[in-house]
């Protein structure tokens, strides 16, 4: 059990209308399930988050601004009660109210709770809430008030009471019990006023109605019945009772105000000037006492902060860190502290030196100053001779062999003056080096006169580092060699910055400056500046292993020394007023075990740096009610997100960073708690905000931002646009292809027509060859007077000419028609050559001569060449063979053979005389075949060989044509 009397060694935080309260008239205090503080006031319901007060009034849905009772439940609701026609609760900053029957004004006074239900009792009896309204709940209500009063009076008469002296009554809506109080027993009835049992109690006072201050039922089914001098607790699970006397608890005789609240693991009882806290088994855990003039009501939140209120002075809050911090020497300007030989000493400006007395838990003065405004310069133990020095501008002392003595040196040898104005002393090789206002004085032996060594103004400190004397003051650090100040080789400007403290170590001399933080100096005159300390005025440096503790004008800093790159050493912890310091401007510090001793102009504070309260992470939250926020249309062009930290003490020392994933990977620092984002593309974003306090406890909270795409940015729209684009592209290419095809068809038609004209022209070129020869033959027959032959020849010739003219206009003819033409031609040639020419035409039976077609008049020139150039020069008779060979339904082969002189001899024979003719004939044939092959109807393969190339015993020419017709 702990007891703590608040004398306000450290002033509490105060809140009035100046800080945002609507009124200084506070009725009740409560903490909701999320840790927010709520206050029932005369001017509305007030929510506090550590930064600002949010006021809810009639405009926001309150039935009455004058709200005077608050009660949280286990469902996250905060119930409020006032003299009104409606009562209700607030949750997530939304107010919900319930109406009474016939808009009756009620005044709830007592609250009864269970884990699932809540009832209240007032002028209208016991009532509760249903879905929309306030309803009666129990035996005592307006509908049966007269009969109930008569029945109650009858019960009281049984025990010697009457209408003027009635029995106190307690009701329990959860168990439907009615308890009648007597001094030595409780009478338990059910709600039908049937007797159940009798409970023995021992209450050392007489009962009167005026003595009853409050009653109620807590979650754990512990009822309380408060009287002027104490409170009776009733455990309804066992019907065990226990009476707690205010006098025994907090030395208070009688109270006129009582408030009892329950939390998860404790029960709080608030009476004017005191807060009493029990565990759930009603064991006393702690008490807190406050000044009566400001504490009608008090409350301890789940973070351990104490809240105090009354009806006129507003609110006061005592942070947990202040409660667990020990304070001494209030309002005294403590400039130096030190622990020497396990004794804590403090030097107070203009007062003297003090020593802590453990048994008294207080300080006693060990000397008095005779001068006003006496500065304290040093409290230190000489490492060489173990003498304790207490140096000040007033009287300076030493403690040597446990004896307090004035600090005294022999007079100066050169002037005979006393050694005065001492600010520091360092001992090297048995000699004392005394730093004064204007010089460094050397004392080799306390029995001998002192002597001036170096004259210099502005010096303040002296230290021994690496067996070398260093001094420091307003113009920086100095090295003393012999009787001279030696100039440093290094030109680093830090060496000339005003120095306020020195701390030697094995490898470095740590130098604390006034405004430039800490730098390290080694005997090679290298300077290493701790960059994170730049801007700090250092009053004291303490090294613990690889950690530095610094007393600064901005609190106490803890730095982890980076052995690889010492200049980049980081601040890893810090302590401020919010942590329990008297003030941030810290004059001196000392570390012993887990205790941090801090000296300031307001006194001495002792903090336990291992306290769990310094390890607690900030409670960061977003002000929106939902984890995921949706933004569409114009909303997404300017998105604003705000966040806060629930902290009633430490808001100023929390820093914030954020990043918006996936577009931001690195953290971005911010000094505002409102973030703005614009022109975000549609997708799901994760906003992470990180809060970091001075102890480097971190909390990361996430808010999801779903930027909804416009209709044209949706996946369906994109697919639709894609399909439309593909359709348009397909349509474009289709139209383009159609146009190209039409152009190609038109071009092909033109080319086909042109080819037909060319073929027709070629056919026309072929006809004169035969006509010329035929006319010569007719002339020959006439000259020979062979009239019958001439007539026969002329008849066949005219028939053939008719066929030539007819077929020359056709692209193709049937094989039957082609055979008729060839047969007619060969018969004419046979007449011309008489018996010298024979011919044979063979057609495969598989070839349908009436259906299968052939380019017109293509074979006649070949047959004509066989006759006129193959057989004409042969002395013997010759034969021309024409064969039509079946390949498939659309292909066939035509073989034209003669047994004449052959291609090779014909070329030699007609190399001169027939050159032009042969060249023209062959060229015309090849051009026609090429034109036919360019069309889509025919693919014709043409070859001509000497028969001797095929069979050495043969003579003549062999022409092969393969016709492939496209069906």
């Amino acid at each position: 059990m702990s007891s703590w009397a608040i004398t306000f060694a450290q002033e509490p935080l105060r809140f009035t209308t100046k800080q945002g309260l609507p009124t200084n008239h506070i009725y009740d205090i409560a903490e909701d399930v999320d840790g927010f503080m709520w206050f029932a006031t005369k001017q509305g319901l007030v929510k506090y988050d550590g930064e600002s007060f949010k006021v809810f009034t009639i405009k926001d849905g309150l039935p009455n601004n004058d709200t005077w009772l608050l009660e949280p439940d286990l469902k996250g609701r905060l119930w409020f009660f006032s003299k009104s026609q409606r009562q209700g609760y607030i949750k997530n900053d939304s107010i919900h109210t319930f109406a009474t029957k016939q808009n009756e004004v009620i005044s709830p006074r007592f609250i009864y709770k269970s884990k699932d239900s809540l009832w209240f009792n007032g002028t209208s009896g016991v009532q509760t809430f249903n879905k929309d309204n306030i309803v009666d709940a129990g035996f005592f209500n307006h509908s049966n008030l007269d009969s109930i009063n008569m029945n109650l009076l009858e019960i009281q008469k049984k025990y010697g009471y009457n209408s003027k002296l009635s029995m106190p009554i307690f009701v329990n809506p959860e168990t439907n019990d009615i308890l009648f109080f007597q001094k030595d027993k409780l009478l338990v009835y059910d709600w039908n006023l049937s007797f159940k049992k009798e409970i023995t109690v021992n209450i050392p006072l007489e009962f009167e109605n005026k003595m009853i201050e409050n009653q109620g039922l807590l979650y754990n089914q512990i009822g309380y019945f408060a009287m002027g001098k104490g409170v009776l607790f009733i455990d309804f699970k066992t019907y065990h009772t226990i009476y707690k006397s205010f006098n025994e608890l907090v030395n208070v005789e009688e109270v006129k105000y009582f408030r009892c609240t329950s939390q998860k693991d404790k029960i709080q009882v608030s009476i004017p000037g005191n807060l009493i806290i029990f565990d759930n088994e009603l064991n006393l855990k702690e008490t807190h006492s406050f000044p009566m003039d400001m504490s009608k009501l008090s409350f301890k939140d789940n973070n351990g902060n104490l809240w105090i209120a009354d009806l006129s002075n507003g609110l006061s809050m005592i942070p947990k860190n202040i409660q667990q911090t020990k304070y001494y020497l209030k309002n005294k300007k403590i400039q130096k502290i030190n622990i020497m030989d396990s004794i804590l000493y403090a030097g107070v400006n203009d007062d003297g030196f003090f020593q802590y007395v453990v048994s008294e838990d207080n300080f006693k003065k060990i000397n008095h100053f005779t001068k006003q405004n006496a500065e304290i310069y040093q409290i230190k133990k000489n490492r060489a001779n173990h003498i304790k020095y207490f140096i000040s501008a007033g009287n300076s002392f030493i403690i040597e062999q446990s004896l307090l003595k004035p600090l005294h040196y022999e007079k100066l040898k050169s002037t005979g003056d006393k050694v005065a104005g001492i600010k520091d002393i360092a001992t090297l090789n048995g000699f004392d080096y005394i730093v004064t206002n204007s010089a460094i004085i050397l004392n080799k032996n306390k029995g001998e006169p002192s002597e001036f060594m170096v004259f210099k103004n502005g010096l303040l400190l002296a230290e021994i580092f690496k067996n070398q004397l260093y001094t420091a003051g307003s113009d920086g650090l100095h090295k003393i060699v012999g009787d001279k100040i030696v100039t440093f080789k290094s030109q680093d400007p830090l060496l000339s910055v005003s120095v306020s403290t020195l701390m030697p170590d094995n490898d470095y001399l740590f130098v604390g400056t006034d405004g430039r933080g800490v730098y390290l100096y080694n005997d090679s005159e290298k300077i290493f500046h701790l960059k994170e300390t730049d801007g700090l005025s250092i009053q004291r440096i303490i090294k613990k292993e690889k950690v530095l503790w610094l007393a600064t004008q901005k609190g106490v800093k803890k730095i982890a020394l980076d052995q690889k790159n010492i200049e980049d050493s980081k601040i890893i912890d810090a302590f401020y007023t919010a942590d329990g310091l008297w003030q941030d401007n810290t004059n001196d510090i000392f570390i012993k075990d887990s205790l941090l001793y801090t000296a300031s102009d307001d006194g001495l504070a002792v903090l336990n740096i291992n306290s769990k309260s310094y390890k607690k992470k900030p409670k960061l939250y977003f002000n929106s009610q939902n984890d995921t926020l949706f933004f569409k249309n114009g909303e997404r062009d300017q998105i604003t997100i705000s966040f806060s930290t629930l902290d009633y003490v430490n808001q100023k020392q929390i820093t914030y960073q954020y990043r918006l994933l996936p577009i931001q990977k690195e953290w971005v620092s911010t000094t505002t708690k409102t973030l703005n984002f614009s022109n975000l593309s549609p997708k799901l974003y994760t906003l992470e905000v990180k809060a970091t306090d001075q102890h480097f406890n971190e909390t990361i909270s996430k808010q999801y931002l779903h930027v909804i795409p416009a209709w044209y940015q949706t996946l369906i729209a994109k697919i639709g646009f894609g399909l439309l684009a593909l359709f348009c592209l397909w349509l474009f290419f289709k139209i383009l292809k159609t146009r190209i095809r039409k152009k190609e068809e038109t071009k092909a038609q033109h080319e086909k027509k042109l080819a037909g004209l060319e073929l027709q022209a070629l056919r026309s070129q072929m006809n004169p060859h035969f006509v010329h020869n035929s006319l010569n033959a007719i002339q020959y027959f006439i000259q020979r007077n062979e009239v019958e032959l001439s007539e026969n020849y002329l008849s066949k010739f005219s028939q053939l000419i008719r066929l030539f003219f007819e077929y020359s206009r056709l692209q193709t003819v049937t094989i039957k028609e082609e055979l008729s033409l060839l047969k007619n031609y060969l018969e004419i040639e046979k007449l011309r050559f008489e018996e010298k020419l024979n011919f044979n035409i063979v057609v495969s039976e598989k070839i349908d001569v009436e259906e299968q077609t052939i380019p017109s008049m293509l074979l006649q020139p070949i047959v004509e060449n066989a006759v006129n150039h193959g057989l004409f020069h042969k002395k013997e008779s010759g034969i021309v063979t024409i064969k039509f060979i079946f390949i498939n339904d659309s292909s066939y082969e035509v073989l034209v053979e003669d047994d004449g002189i052959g291609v090779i001899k014909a070329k030699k024979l007609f190399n001169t005389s027939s050159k032009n003719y042969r060249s023209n004939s062959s060229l015309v044939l090849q051009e026609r075949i090429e034109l036919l092959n360019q069309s889509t109807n025919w693919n014709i393969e043409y070859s001509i060989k000497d028969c001797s190339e095929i069979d050495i015993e043969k003579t003549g020419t062999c022409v092969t044509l393969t016709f492939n017709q496209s069906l």
Side-chain angles (χ1 to χ4, degrees):
M1 192 274 288
S2 63
S3 177
W4 200 56
I6 306 296
T7 58
F8 296 148
Q10 173 73 294
E11 286 297 317
L13 302 177
R14 299 186 185 275
F15 306 98
T16 65
T17 54
K18 293 180 180 180
Q19 284 73 41
L21 283 173
T23 175
N24 291 337
H25 193 129
I26 311 296
Y27 290 114
D28 201 6
I29 303 172
E31 182 181 15
D32 69 16
V33 68
D34 295 318
F36 292 97
M37 296 305 301
W38 292 83
F39 311 103
T41 78
K42 195 175 181 65
Q43 297 297 327
L45 189 58
V46 181
K47 178 183 180 182
Y48 184 51
D49 63 359
E51 285 189 285
S52 61
F53 294 96
K54 184 175 183 179
V55 182
F56 297 84
T57 64
I58 292 175
K59 291 182 179 180
D60 303 296
L62 274 185
N64 191 341
N65 284 344
D66 192 14
T67 303
W68 41 265
L69 185 60
L70 300 175
E71 195 68 48
D73 67 13
L74 296 179
K75 297 180 180 179
R77 300 174 295 187
L78 180 66
W79 294 88
F80 53 82
F81 301 93
S82 62
K83 189 175 182 179
S84 174
Q85 297 173 345
R86 304 181 74 88
Q87 311 296 328
Y89 68 86
I90 187 167
K91 184 177 182 180
N92 295 329
D93 290 357
S94 296
I95 293 174
H96 307 266
T97 61
F98 303 81
T100 59
K101 289 182 178 180
Q102 300 176 350
N103 294 323
E104 175 191 4
V105 176
I106 59 175
S107 297
R109 183 183 177 190
F110 306 141
I111 305 298
Y112 311 92
K113 297 189 296 184
S114 70
K115 292 183 179 180
D116 300 314
S117 304
L118 183 142
W119 303 265
F120 58 89
N121 191 355
T123 55
S124 299
V126 180
Q127 295 179 300
T128 188
F129 303 91
N130 65 8
K131 185 177 180 180
D132 300 307
N133 299 298
I134 295 173
V135 296
D136 294 331
F139 76 101
F140 181 66
N141 53 65
H142 281 150
S143 62
N144 58 358
L145 184 60
D146 293 337
S147 62
I148 288 296
N149 284 334
M150 290 179 61
N151 292 333
L152 291 176
L153 184 58
E154 289 298 322
I155 293 174
Q156 293 185 84
K157 287 179 179 180
K158 290 171 57 177
Y159 299 99
Y161 290 84
N162 54 48
S163 59
K164 294 183 178 180
L165 182 63
S166 61
M167 298 170 66
I169 297 175
F170 182 95
V171 297
N172 184 344
E174 175 72 4
T175 59
N176 296 336
D177 285 339
I178 306 170
L179 279 71
F180 295 89
F181 280 74
Q182 290 185 301
K183 183 175 181 179
D184 57 351
K185 58 188 173 183
L186 295 177
L187 306 172
V188 183
Y189 283 74
D190 63 20
W191 281 23
N192 295 320
L193 297 181
S194 299
F195 179 78
K196 290 177 66 176
K197 66 175 64 180
E198 182 178 293
I199 304 171
T200 301
V201 297
N202 183 19
I203 303 174
L205 51 89
E206 297 295 332
F207 283 101
E208 294 181 11
N209 275 339
K210 65 179 182 179
M211 300 171 64
I212 301 172
E213 298 297 338
N214 207 334
Q215 65 172 269
L217 184 67
L218 306 178
Y219 290 125
N220 52 7
Q221 284 304 292
I222 292 179
Y224 59 88
F225 190 89
M227 296 155 278
K229 294 186 178 183
V231 56
L232 179 67
F233 289 103
I234 309 162
D235 188 345
F236 281 94
K237 296 187 295 295
T238 62
Y239 287 96
H240 290 166
T241 63
I242 183 171
Y243 178 77
K244 300 287 186 179
S245 166
F246 298 139
N247 188 26
E248 294 177 0
L249 291 171
V250 291
N251 198 28
V252 173
E253 288 296 327
E254 188 172 355
V255 301
K256 295 184 178 180
Y257 178 83
F258 178 95
R259 183 78 168 95
C260 184
T261 58
S262 61
Q263 292 172 298
K264 183 177 181 181
D265 57 352
K266 56 181 175 286
I267 298 171
Q268 299 192 42
V269 170
S270 172
I271 60 176
N274 292 274
L275 179 65
I276 308 165
I277 299 178
F278 304 92
D279 62 19
N280 284 332
E281 284 69 44
L282 297 173
N283 299 307
L284 181 63
K285 302 301 293 183
E286 55 187 285
T287 62
H288 301 272
S289 299
F290 315 103
M292 287 291 295
D293 61 348
M294 59 178 296
S295 59
K296 179 184 178 182
L297 175 69
S298 54
F299 179 83
K300 186 174 185 178
D301 66 29
N302 285 318
N303 291 319
N305 304 310
L306 293 172
W307 299 83
I308 309 166
D310 69 0
L311 301 181
S312 60
N313 293 318
L315 281 168
S316 296
M317 193 268 281
I318 305 170
K320 180 180 180 180
N321 291 335
I322 291 178
Q323 299 172 47
Q324 65 186 16
T325 301
K326 290 188 175 182
Y327 297 96
Y328 303 94
L329 301 172
K330 181 181 180 181
N331 296 328
K332 292 187 179 294
K333 183 177 181 179
I334 303 176
Q335 292 182 289
K336 295 292 179 182
I337 58 173
N338 205 344
I339 294 179
M340 299 181 291
D341 297 334
S342 301
I343 300 175
L344 174 62
Y345 296 95
V348 180
N349 178 276
D350 198 29
D351 196 347
F353 293 99
F354 289 75
Q355 174 184 326
Y356 177 69
V357 180
V358 177
S359 60
E360 299 177 5
D361 192 24
N362 211 337
F363 282 83
K364 72 174 182 179
K365 187 181 291 186
I366 60 175
N367 79 307
H368 295 274
F369 286 163
T370 58
K371 292 177 61 177
Q372 292 184 348
N373 301 320
E375 293 284 327
I376 306 296
Y377 296 125
Q378 295 293 339
I379 299 177
K380 64 188 292 187
K381 186 175 183 179
N382 193 309
R383 290 187 296 273
N385 55 29
H386 305 293
I387 295 175
K388 301 175 185 176
Y389 290 100
F390 299 82
I391 302 172
S392 71
N395 307 77
S396 295
F397 301 88
I398 63 171
I399 294 179
E400 188 175 18
Q401 297 179 351
S402 301
L403 296 176
L404 181 65
K405 305 175 184 179
L407 178 60
H408 173 74
Y409 286 98
E410 294 296 326
K411 296 180 180 180
L412 290 166
K413 181 188 296 185
S414 58
T415 64
D417 295 333
K418 291 181 179 181
V419 178
I422 300 174
K423 294 187 175 179
D424 201 359
I425 299 171
T427 301
L428 178 63
N429 299 326
F431 299 161
D432 286 350
Y433 293 87
I434 307 161
V435 176
T436 69
N437 293 325
S438 58
I440 299 175
I441 297 173
L442 174 63
N443 183 270
K444 297 182 179 180
N445 191 315
K446 288 189 178 180
E448 298 179 2
S450 303
E451 56 186 75
F452 286 108
M453 193 177 85
V454 176
F455 289 94
K456 184 170 180 57
N457 291 322
L459 294 179
L460 181 65
L461 305 165
E463 272 295 352
I464 307 301
F465 173 63
K466 300 281 188 176
N467 207 34
Q468 180 66 54
L469 176 64
Y470 290 84
T471 63
S474 60
D475 59 350
L477 181 67
H478 307 284
K479 182 178 181 180
I480 308 299
V481 178
D483 58 354
K484 294 181 180 179
I485 296 177
V486 177
T487 303
F488 291 112
K489 295 178 183 178
S490 173
Q491 299 300 313
D492 195 311
L494 285 172
L495 290 169
S496 60
V497 175
S498 177
V499 176
S500 49
T501 186
L502 296 173
M503 197 278 296
D505 193 39
N506 294 332
D507 300 319
Y508 300 103
L509 177 64
F510 290 81
V511 182
T513 69
D514 187 8
R516 293 301 308 275
V518 177
Y519 67 85
L520 284 64
Y521 168 89
N522 65 17
D523 54 356
S524 299
E525 296 192 8
K526 290 185 178 180
I527 306 298
F528 303 93
H529 188 206
L530 302 187
K531 298 175 184 177
E532 281 213 354
T533 67
D534 202 0
L536 297 176
S537 295
I538 311 299
Q539 303 301 324
R540 180 73 177 272
I541 302 173
I542 295 177
K543 185 172 183 290
K544 295 286 186 181
E545 296 180 349
K546 297 180 181 180
V547 171
L548 290 185
W549 289 86
L550 308 178
T552 79
Q553 87 281 18
K554 296 181 180 179
V556 179
K557 311 290 184 182
K558 181 181 179 182
I559 296 180
L561 294 175
D562 188 338
Q563 303 300 316
K564 294 182 179 179
N565 191 352
I566 201 161
E567 289 191 329
D568 290 333
S569 299
K570 303 296 183 183
I571 296 174
I572 60 171
D573 207 347
F575 294 85
Y576 301 98
T577 305
D579 298 302
L581 301 185
W582 279 103
Q583 58 178 250
D584 289 345
N585 186 22
T586 307
N587 296 329
D588 202 356
I589 59 173
F590 194 86
I591 305 287
K592 183 180 181 182
D593 300 326
S594 64
L595 299 180
L596 171 63
Y597 297 81
T598 63
S600 71
D601 290 353
D602 291 328
L604 176 69
V606 184
L607 286 68
N608 184 350
I609 57 178
N610 289 339
S611 171
K612 293 181 179 180
S613 61
Y614 301 136
K615 309 300 180 184
K616 188 175 181 180
K617 295 182 179 181
K619 188 172 183 180
L620 178 67
Y621 65 94
F622 290 94
N623 293 328
S624 57
Q625 299 295 331
N626 300 317
D627 292 334
T628 302
L629 302 179
F630 297 88
F631 301 93
K632 58 183 179 179
N633 300 331
E635 297 174 349
R636 58 188 176 163
D637 297 330
Q638 187 62 44
I639 297 175
T640 299
I641 305 296
S642 60
F643 59 89
S644 299
T645 304
L646 185 58
D647 195 302
Y648 301 113
V649 181
N650 199 37
Q651 292 282 353
K652 293 182 180 179
Q653 307 303 337
I654 299 176
T655 59
Y656 300 95
Q657 294 175 297
Y658 73 93
R659 62 184 178 185
L660 187 64
L661 299 174
I663 62 176
Q664 288 177 319
K665 301 297 183 182
E666 302 297 326
W667 290 101
V668 179
S669 297
T670 179
T671 56
T672 178
K673 295 180 183 178
T674 299
L675 304 176
N676 295 302
F677 303 98
S678 59
N679 301 320
L680 293 180
S681 59
K683 67 174 64 174
L684 180 64
Y685 297 89
T686 302
L687 174 62
E688 293 185 343
V689 176
K690 177 166 64 176
T692 307
D693 67 12
Q694 68 270 32
H695 306 297
F696 289 84
N697 301 307
E698 291 183 355
T699 296
I700 297 177
S701 293
K702 297 181 180 181
Q703 176 80 70
Y704 297 98
L705 312 180
H706 192 181
V707 180
I708 299 174
W711 67 268
Y712 54 84
Q713 293 175 313
T714 61
L715 179 62
I716 294 177
K718 289 180 180 179
I719 293 174
F721 288 141
L723 293 175
L724 181 61
L726 290 174
F727 174 75
C728 292
L729 188 63
W730 172 81
L731 185 62
F732 170 76
F733 281 112
K734 183 177 182 181
I735 294 173
L736 182 63
K737 184 178 179 180
T738 302
R739 290 183 177 180
I740 292 173
R741 187 176 68 251
K742 287 183 178 179
K743 287 183 179 180
E744 289 177 346
E745 289 176 353
T746 302
K747 182 179 179 182
Q749 289 176 358
H750 286 297
E751 290 177 349
K752 187 175 181 180
K753 186 175 182 180
L754 180 61
L757 293 174
E758 290 178 356
L759 287 170
Q760 188 174 359
L762 289 173
R763 289 194 296 271
S764 298
Q765 292 179 26
M766 294 177 184
N767 294 339
H769 302 162
F770 170 70
V771 171
H772 172 75
N773 292 331
S774 296
L775 291 176
N776 286 336
I778 293 170
Q779 183 181 9
Y780 171 74
F781 287 132
I782 293 173
Q783 289 176 352
R784 288 176 57 182
N785 291 318
E786 295 181 9
V787 177
E788 186 178 352
L789 284 175
S790 299
E791 289 178 353
N792 187 23
Y793 194 102
L794 186 60
S795 174
K796 290 183 180 292
F797 175 73
S798 61
Q799 185 180 2
L800 184 60
I801 290 300
R802 181 179 59 77
L803 291 176
F804 278 171
F805 284 123
E806 181 180 349
Y807 290 172
S808 65
R809 292 192 299 270
L810 300 175
Q811 294 290 335
T812 61
V813 295
T814 63
I815 292 178
K816 181 179 180 180
E817 290 172 333
E818 184 71 12
L819 290 174
S820 174
L821 175 70
L822 292 176
K823 187 175 181 180
N824 199 335
Y825 165 72
L826 287 172
E827 287 177 350
I828 292 174
E829 290 288 47
K830 184 175 177 61
L831 289 173
R832 186 167 68 91
F833 281 87
E834 296 180 348
E835 297 302 324
K836 192 177 180 180
L837 172 64
N838 294 300
F839 65 90
N840 183 26
I841 299 175
V842 180
V843 180
S844 174
E845 294 180 355
K846 293 182 179 180
I847 297 176
D848 187 350
V849 295
E850 293 182 351
E851 295 294 332
Q852 185 66 54
T853 60
I854 189 171
S856 63
M857 298 179 62
L858 185 64
L859 299 181
Q860 188 272 334
I862 299 173
V863 174
E864 184 179 351
N865 283 338
V867 173
N868 292 324
H869 301 289
L871 300 180
F872 182 77
H873 298 284
K874 185 178 179 182
K875 295 179 181 180
E876 302 88 9
S877 62
I879 186 170
V880 176
T881 303
I882 302 174
K883 295 181 180 180
F884 285 80
I885 304 170
F886 177 83
I887 297 177
N888 54 45
D889 291 340
S890 60
S891 301
Y892 57 89
E893 185 179 85
V894 177
L895 181 63
V896 179
E897 290 183 349
D898 66 74
D899 58 355
I901 63 174
V903 176
I904 298 173
K905 288 183 179 181
K907 286 183 178 180
K908 292 179 180 180
L909 182 63
F910 297 104
N911 190 34
T912 302
S913 61
S914 303
K915 180 178 181 180
N916 292 335
Y917 175 76
R918 282 290 285 183
S919 297
N920 289 338
S921 177
S922 299
L923 180 62
V924 168
L925 178 63
Q926 290 178 0
E927 286 181 356
R928 188 179 177 196
I929 290 175
E930 287 178 1
L931 287 172
L932 288 170
N933 284 339
Q934 289 177 5
S935 70
T936 58
N937 298 326
W938 294 100
N939 180 19
I940 302 172
E941 296 177 5
Y942 167 76
S943 67
I944 180 170
K945 293 182 180 180
D946 194 289
C947 289
S948 62
E949 294 178 358
I950 301 173
D951 187 348
I952 194 170
E953 295 182 355
K954 284 186 176 183
T955 61
T957 302
C958 181
V959 178
T960 304
L961 292 100
T962 303
F963 294 89
N964 297 293
Q965 188 176 14
S966 299
L967 297 177

